[in-house]
Amino acid sequence: MNIYKALIGEHWKESSSGRTISSSNPFNQEVWASIPSLTKEDVAEAVEAAHLAFHDWKKTNGLERATLMHRLADLIEAEADHLAQVETTDNGKLFKETKNQILFSARNYRYFAGYADKLLGDFIPMDNREMIDYTIMEPVGPVALITAWNSPLSLLANKLAPALATGNTVVIKPSEQASISTLEFAKLTIQAGFPSGVINVITGDGAAGDALIRHPLIAKVSFTGGSQTARAITKAVSDKLIPVTLELGGKSPNIIFADADLEDALTGAIAGIFGATGQTCIAGSRLLVERSIVEIVKERLIRKAATIQLGDPFDPATDMGPVANKLQLKKIVSMITEAKEEGAELLYGGELAKEAGLHGYFIKPTIFFTENPEINIACEEVFGPVLTIIPFNDPEEALSIANRSPYGLAAGIWTRDIKKAHRLAAEIEAGNVWINTYRASAAGAPFGGTKQSGYGRERSWHALYEYTHIKNVMVNLSTKKRDPFSMQTK
């Protein structure tokens, strides 16, 4: 069994309590590694290391930070196979997708490295020509970066890349369900030459995360995960009045109009919900279909779902791997049972996959149909391979159903009518809208949600503002005397 330690400052450390957490391979349920379950005191040591390193790191010039980030990206690309192997073993996601995401994370480090020496302030024209005014972008301080188990290194890059580029130090807390790839990544940060304490990685359960966000030296929290944990985080840090970025779940509508290229739309529907076994925050779990084509969509989706190959995530022929952990599998099964009880029509799947060779947490791709967009399966995030088809009659009804959700992370629109697509995109309550594609990413495209899908933005230049304060500097060039008892406004 592989035994891992946390990175605190320049040292690899076990928990001071001696406690560990075992990691199981979701494909075969075998325990293959362990991580330390850190105590509150261990977490405090990591935060203090980040705080100590911040004094010098914030003063490094942008070229130096960019050089280190490019070097890190080089190492990620060189070790992509190894990192993907570890992450797939830990969470069951297909190796081919995991590797692609890890290479994309390298692209994100390069993207933000390009901004490290271009953190430009503004020169502000003043009413009084004898006054000048300018702004400076400053790092916020030690930042807590908390990631989810479905895509640890990809999610981390969304946070760590802008945090480093803007001069922050970090304490990273991956999910205890999938921490190993982050610990392997931490080794690369040392090889890249980042100073001690700039990047720290702690591991453990929710108690470790709670100790991290509550520490008085943490200046910001960036979290990816579920809404319940997000609410706990915002409450916990409210007394400190520190900024928080939240990238949460969704119940995203994927809308197919009758005039769409149907084959493309169906491919997008499959990618949107069965890619990554549906364990993605942007999953297009609500498939809204124009009524005139709903029967043909149902028929063709059932045929496509029947061809999805479940199996070993390392096998190139596999289309869908296991659910990442036992707790998540239990939740998916429970929501499928509830959907049946609420009257949703089961079109395909809806049960555990027990074919020969499948010994892990496998469930069949599942498709429901309902006329009622208010039932739970059509409203709440499943975070699994469960699709709900809902018919609509016209664009207005499609928009009404789409916006009825408390979530607002993503949406897809499939139509040949570009005017209709743009009008709908403008009205959909979501942070990300795809037109004639789905589940596509780019380093330069901002990502984030609205409503209960969170706030703040990751990726693109917008993310730079999540990790900086804007300082305003005003300079008086005048030699005139002023009234000390009146504010100067000109």
Side-chain angles (χ1 to χ4, degrees), residues 92-205:
K93 180 174 281 191
L94 297 188
F95 175 82
K96 58 187 177 185
E97 170 152 356
T98 300
K99 182 177 178 180
N100 185 53
Q101 287 188 316
I102 287 169
L103 292 173
F104 180 58
S105 76
R107 169 69 179 108
N108 274 287
Y109 289 107
R110 295 195 193 282
Y111 177 88
F112 283 102
Y115 275 108
D117 61 351
K118 303 175 187 67
L119 300 174
L120 305 178
D122 296 310
F123 181 83
I124 313 296
M126 303 291 288
D127 294 340
N128 184 346
R129 297 185 65 183
E130 293 186 310
M131 300 280 283
I132 63 172
D133 192 90
Y134 62 92
T135 62
I136 303 171
M137 295 178 70
E138 295 187 330
V140 298
V143 179
L145 307 180
I146 305 174
T147 58
W149 45 256
N150 57 323
S151 301
L153 292 186
S154 178
L155 297 174
L156 177 60
N158 291 344
K159 307 175 187 301
L160 181 58
L164 293 175
T166 50
N168 297 279
T169 57
V170 302
V171 180
I172 302 164
K173 166 64 173 71
S175 167
E176 64 270 29
Q177 301 282 0
S179 295
I180 310 301
S181 60
T182 305
L183 293 170
E184 289 286 350
F185 166 83
K187 298 175 184 177
L188 302 186
T189 69
I190 296 173
Q191 292 181 43
F194 283 91
S196 169
V198 170
I199 301 172
N200 306 271
V201 180
I202 65 168
T203 56
D205 56 17

Side-chain angles (χ1 to χ4, degrees), residues 44 53 70 146 192 217 227 244 250 259 275 296 324 343 401 423 427 432 464 485 490:
H70 279 298
I146 305 174
L217 294 178
S227 299
V244 179
D259 64 355
I296 190 171
I401 296 171
R423 287 197 302 268
E427 296 295 329
N432 308 270
L464 298 171
F485 301 105
K490 291 184 180 180

Side-chain angles (χ1 to χ4, degrees), residues 68 78 83 102-103 177 195 207 228 230 238 242 244 283 327 421 472:
L68 291 172
L83 293 171
I102 287 169
L103 292 173
Q177 301 282 0
Q228 183 176 351
S238 61
I242 62 173
V244 179
L327 187 63
N472 191 82

